[in-house]
Amino acid sequence: MKIAIIGGGPAGLYAAILLRKQRPQAEITVYERNRADDTFGFGVVFSDATLDNFEKCDPPSYRRITQEFAYWDDIAVHFRGAVHRVGGNGFCGCSRRKLLLILQERARELGVALRFETEIDDESRFADADLIVLADGINSRFREKHIAHFEPEVDVRSNVFAWMGSTRPLDAFTFIFQETEWGPFIAHAYQYEAGRSTWIFETDPATFKRAGLEGLNEKQSADRMAEIFGWFLKGHPLLTNRSMWRNFPMIRSKRWVKDKMVLLGDAKATAHFSIGSGTKLAMEDAIALAEAMEQAPTVDAALQKYEEGRREEVEKTQHAADVSLVWFEHVDRFWEFDPVQFAFGVMTRSKAITYDNLTLRAPDFVAEVDKAFARQVRAKGFDVDVEKPLAPMFQPMRLREMEIANRAVVSPMCMYSAREGVPTDFHLVHYGSRAIGGAGLIFTEMTCVGRDARITPGCTGLWNDEQESAWRRIVDFVHANSAAKICLQLGHAGRKGATKLMWDGMDRPLEEGGWDIVSASPIPYFPDSKMPREMDRAAMDAVKAAFVQATERGERCGFDMLELHCAHGYLLASFISPLTNQRTDEYGGSLENRLRFPLEVFEAMRSAWPTHKPMSVRISATDWAEGGITGDDAVTIARAFAEAGVDLVDVSTGQTVRDAQPVYGRMFQTPFSDQVRNEARVATMCVGNITTADQVNTILAAGRADLVALGRPHLVDPAFTLKAAAWYGAEGVFCPPQYLPGKEQIFRNSVRDRQDLEDLKIKAKPKTRAELKAEASKPLAAE
Ligand SMILES: Cc1cc2nc3c(=O)[nH]c(=O)nc-3n(C[C@H](O)[C@H](O)[C@H](O)COP(=O)(O)OP(=O)(O)OC[C@H]3O[C@@H](n4cnc5c(N)ncnc54)[C@H](O)[C@@H]3O)c2cc1C
Ligand SMILES: Cc1cc2nc3c(=O)[nH]c(=O)nc-3n(C[C@H](O)[C@H](O)[C@H](O)COP(=O)(O)O)c2cc1C
């Protein structure tokens, strides 16, 4: 077999090693345009888990690599004069040059031919090869040459960065967030061998310009960075090696294989340096390719297997990298944060590390985070314990005069079980049991302001006396039997009205018994949905009056809070999104115009709703669709509602148009809450695939939302909050007297279960290489 590998970086060399080990008879040649020891950059970083992989695949290169490594366990975050260190991370650094020399040596040893100073510009010279590996890096010529086939998507990020080095020793992966007169600069730094550390500097384009970095040469820009970070460098120089300022391109390719050619490493996909995974991905690609070549009967089948088997893992890493880079791009959002909360945000930015996870590894750090959170709550006038604070989830909050005992919320969820809009005993039990279950705040399902405002025939309403008294019964029960507050969500279905019950076909039009529907513009939801009528001013006035009447009824029911539903493609959302609003009057066109009617309705409701009671608005912070609402629009929307008197923005997303492309995942909507909260400076509630109390605490402690709503988890577990309270030892959580023996038991058992789980996790956790190295270097104790 003949294999040609274009590119002698980590991907190409490691692929050559593994393939040659597998097929000692194969003729494998690596073509590299540079000289053998001619490499840019300084260090690379691997996690312990990646090293474990290397150990399995090729022990000789693994041993040589690890001999050269610098290990560390801690991440240190420097921000506004404070340093926070978190242990247990298990990383190691190595010089990129040494890594490549080791891989070259090992490849040679195995009989791979290495052709340096050989630039390949056409694959036709390898017509007789069975496999051509395209490992030609981030600017891959071959990916570009076959662009129509590979279909790469290149997202050039806004921040600029430069990769430098220093002789400054470091004993932790170090993030420095530096305020300057021009704006924030960030250093990502780690040691990779004795006396050598990598320094990646990052800043936003405006700060870059203001700092006069544009047009400076390498030496001049290194001098400027040395001035900024001089206090930390302590006289150590900054070193350069093609350390040009650049923008990071996030690359994704639709296809990785063309005939017998296959993309590997940065050529096919990149991962942002803030999660340090570029070299890891490149070498793990090589592992995946070698495994596929071993298992599949033909090269074609192997390439298919490689792409199919590897894509998900790469996309997961890229997603984590995306989330991380966005955090760094928007670091100014958190600049006013308490340093410990800021450090918590850095640690938890890409979702892999959570509150509980950190509690295990760095209990003192989390205790400090809790204290800072409690101090903020105390500053709002609550008499909470700051010395031994409860976890953030169990800290109280106030909106106007409404106090909520904890931050867990039952998200609004239609039950499709009303009769002519009247909530039934099902609703009493449903809301009642969730209130007893300990959540601080319960939202009703979308309750419709008129018969024709309903989504389905099973939706609740609040347009007549019978409905009013049925709701009053529920509210009274909640108030009499729990500590929960209850918020009424009012809405109008718009073009998604007259549809079937969820279990009969979500959003599908009713076959019989439907009613006339209205929307901002006459665009049906599905092509075969009913055509909505475009609202004229009279219809708008009628709808506004219906919202006001329902508001007045809501007040008579005794609801503590009121939410206006402007999300998920319903009537008011249909005005806000350009995808559903094509009006040419003053209610269409600009975002300001599109917001006009929803704001009018909100203001009318606000006037009818008692001043001391809070109001929220639920928005879709993105339509997940080309040309639709974006996170930036959501900030403008939130600001507009805040000016109109909203106390909380309930940040949801999507459901505007059928062909949306949502990116699901754990806590997938939380970044939008984060953006709205920390850019519009308004309190937010986040929601969406948040399933554990650990996630709730992670979100709150990082300042990404003020309240956390859970929908589906509450459907199957009314006592979600009570159970979480037992886990975190929040004794004060409400429990009705009838259930106290259960509460006592779960609190008692939770202490033990938690201890057992922690012991198990500690025992199961393999020692990091830094720990092993420290142990090995300890003098033997005298017998
Ligand atoms: C600022 C910065 C910091 C980084 N920090 C880290 C980090 O801390 N940890 C980490 O793991 N990764 C890091 N990376 C990423 C890492 O450098 C790459 O992800 C990794 O090197 C990818 O390996 P590769 O083999 O795919 O590509 P490369 O290492 O780029 O190798 C491609 C090779 O192909 C050669 N080549 C290109 N075209 C041709 C041609 N036509 N003919 C012959 N040869 C050709 C090039 O000369 C090059 O040697 C960082 C990257 C940057 C930019
Ligand atoms: C059965 C069901 C009904 C829902 N009804 C409503 C509703 O009436 N109003 C609303 O704003 N959101 C509604 N939602 C959306 C939820 O409030 C929540 O935003 C969504 O389920 C994501 O949260 P989760 O992942 O915790 O379930 C509903 C969701 C479900 C599953």
Side-chain angles (χ1 to χ4, degrees), residues 411-414 416 445-446 489 502 565 568 618 652 687-689 710-713:
S411 201
M413 279 179 293
C414 282
Y416 309 100
E445 61 205 89
M446 176 168 130
Q489 186 188 61
M502 176 181 70
H565 199 333
H568 302 168
R618 179 166 261 208
S652 187
V687 64
N689 220 2
L710 296 93
R712 288 164 296 171

Side-chain angles (χ1 to χ4, degrees), residues 464-763:
N464 66 31
D465 293 347
E466 196 188 348
Q467 293 156 352
E468 188 180 314
S469 64
W471 275 118
R472 191 180 314 117
R473 180 166 170 247
I474 293 168
V475 174
D476 287 348
F477 180 90
V478 169
H479 286 158
N481 294 285
S482 80
K485 297 294 190 301
I486 180 160
C487 175
L488 168 67
Q489 186 188 61
L490 287 179
H492 186 304
R495 70 177 188 146
K496 289 169 111 180
T499 55
K500 295 181 180 176
L501 305 186
M502 176 181 70
W503 46 85
D504 289 336
M506 183 98 162
D507 298 327
R508 298 296 310 159
L510 284 170
E511 274 142 30
E512 44 191 67
W515 49 87
D516 282 343
I517 56 174
V518 290
S519 191
S521 298
I523 313 167
Y525 187 64
F526 286 112
D528 63 340
S529 293
K530 208 169 176 149
M531 177 64 82
R533 186 165 43 83
E534 177 173 300
M535 287 182 97
D536 58 16
R537 190 59 244 187
M540 286 157 77
D541 285 339
V543 162
K544 184 162 76 173
F547 270 102
V548 170
Q549 267 181 26
T551 300
E552 289 162 353
R553 287 185 183 277
E555 161 58 5
R556 288 201 292 272
C557 291
F559 281 104
D560 303 292
M561 179 174 167
L562 183 62
E563 173 160 289
L564 177 61
H565 199 333
C566 291
H568 302 168
Y570 297 117
L571 181 67
L572 297 175
S574 78
F575 275 83
I576 299 175
S577 173
L579 301 176
T580 45
N581 181 342
Q582 295 177 352
R583 300 174 72 102
T584 50
D585 60 5
E586 69 267 42
Y587 299 99
S590 66
L591 179 55
E592 192 189 352
N593 280 1
R594 286 181 272 123
L595 270 170
R596 200 182 300 278
F597 182 55
L599 283 171
E600 241 182 60
V601 173
F602 178 84
E603 281 160 0
M605 289 165 75
R606 186 61 268 183
S607 307
W609 186 243
T611 319
H612 67 279
K613 291 189 181 181
M615 275 187 75
S616 60
V617 61
R618 179 166 261 208
I619 60 168
S620 284
T622 173
D623 288 330
W624 299 113
E626 193 71 32
I629 292 290
T630 63
D632 288 344
D633 293 331
V635 174
T636 309
I637 296 167
R639 283 200 180 111
F641 276 104
E643 265 171 40
V646 98
D647 304 292
L648 179 86
V649 179
D650 173 0
V651 184
S652 187
T653 67
Q655 299 177 50
T656 311
V657 286
R658 285 308 303 163
D659 52 357
Q661 299 282 322
V663 182
Y664 293 118
R666 272 174 297 154
M667 309 184 268
F668 73 109
Q669 296 174 155
T670 303
F672 297 97
S673 163
D674 186 341
Q675 180 173 10
V676 168
R677 180 180 193 267
N678 297 309
E679 286 188 16
R681 308 271 169 199
V682 49
T684 61
M685 176 164 87
C686 70
V687 64
N689 220 2
I690 298 160
T691 52
T692 65
D694 178 23
Q695 290 168 353
V696 174
N697 279 315
T698 307
I699 292 166
L700 293 170
R704 312 187 78 191
D706 298 272
L707 290 175
V708 180
L710 296 93
R712 288 164 296 171
H714 271 121
L715 289 182
V716 290
D717 189 358
F720 178 90
T721 305
L722 181 66
K723 288 180 183 164
W727 190 254
Y728 290 102
E731 291 277 353
V733 70
F734 173 82
C735 177
Q738 297 91 329
Y739 294 172
L740 277 176
K743 179 187 173 195
E744 279 157 22
Q745 185 187 47
I746 194 174
F747 268 72
R748 203 171 43 245
N749 288 351
S750 284
V751 174
R752 206 185 45 223
D753 292 351
R754 193 176 167 141
Q755 192 58 51
D756 287 353
L757 189 75
E758 288 180 0
D759 289 349
L760 208 73
K761 279 190 183 160
I762 290 167
K763 269 196 213 128

Side-chain angles (χ1 to χ4, degrees), residues 36-58:
D37 60 351
D38 187 22
T39 183
F40 70 91
F42 298 89
V44 296
V45 42
F46 296 122
S47 67
D48 276 353
T50 306
L51 286 179
D52 288 345
N53 259 343
F54 296 168
E55 187 172 14
K56 271 186 238 133
C57 293
D58 185 45

Side-chain angles (χ1 to χ4, degrees), residues 79-254:
F79 177 58
R80 285 218 308 264
V83 191
H84 291 97
R85 289 180 79 103
V86 177
N89 296 287
F91 279 109
C92 34
C94 166
S95 130
R96 178 177 153 99
R97 186 167 169 275
K98 275 200 183 136
L99 173 74
L100 291 180
L101 293 178
I102 290 169
L103 296 179
Q104 288 169 13
E105 182 189 47
R106 176 76 180 133
R108 251 187 233 109
E109 219 171 79
L110 288 163
V112 172
L114 301 178
R115 304 265 176 274
F116 291 100
E117 297 178 72
T118 310
E119 177 140 10
I120 307 298
D121 47 21
D122 187 0
E123 72 277 17
S124 61
R125 64 186 275 183
F126 306 123
D128 60 340
D130 302 281
L131 171 65
I132 305 172
V133 177
L134 308 174
D136 53 342
I138 206 161
N139 298 317
S140 172
R141 168 181 303 177
F142 293 92
R143 182 190 67 223
E144 293 309 302
K145 184 172 171 191
H146 300 287
I147 194 165
H149 176 82
F150 292 123
E151 286 194 56
E153 180 197 310
V154 183
D155 173 16
V156 179
R157 304 305 311 186
S158 59
N159 271 8
V160 285
F161 73 96
W163 197 356
M164 300 188 190
S166 176
T167 53
R168 167 76 156 97
L170 297 167
D171 62 353
F173 193 111
T174 303
F175 289 113
I176 308 173
F177 296 87
Q178 184 66 45
E179 175 80 67
T180 70
E181 61 193 276
W182 309 291
F185 277 87
I186 307 165
H188 310 237
Y190 57 91
Q191 185 158 332
Y192 59 87
E193 62 184 26
R196 280 285 186 281
S197 44
T198 294
W199 287 71
I200 303 170
F201 296 107
E202 177 180 5
T203 191
D204 61 87
T207 303
F208 182 75
K209 259 196 198 148
R210 282 193 295 267
L213 282 156
E214 238 176 359
L216 296 191
N217 64 28
E218 256 181 304
K219 162 88 177 67
Q220 289 164 327
S221 73
D223 288 348
R224 179 61 50 86
M225 288 301 105
E227 275 164 35
I228 294 174
F229 291 92
W231 65 272
F232 188 87
L233 287 164
K234 296 203 167 76
H236 287 273
L238 282 177
L239 314 169
T240 57
N241 177 5
R242 292 203 236 163
S243 306
M244 274 75 75
W245 289 89
R246 287 172 285 173
N247 296 78
F248 190 86
M250 274 305 282
I251 298 174
R252 296 175 157 82
S253 302
K254 195 160 180 188

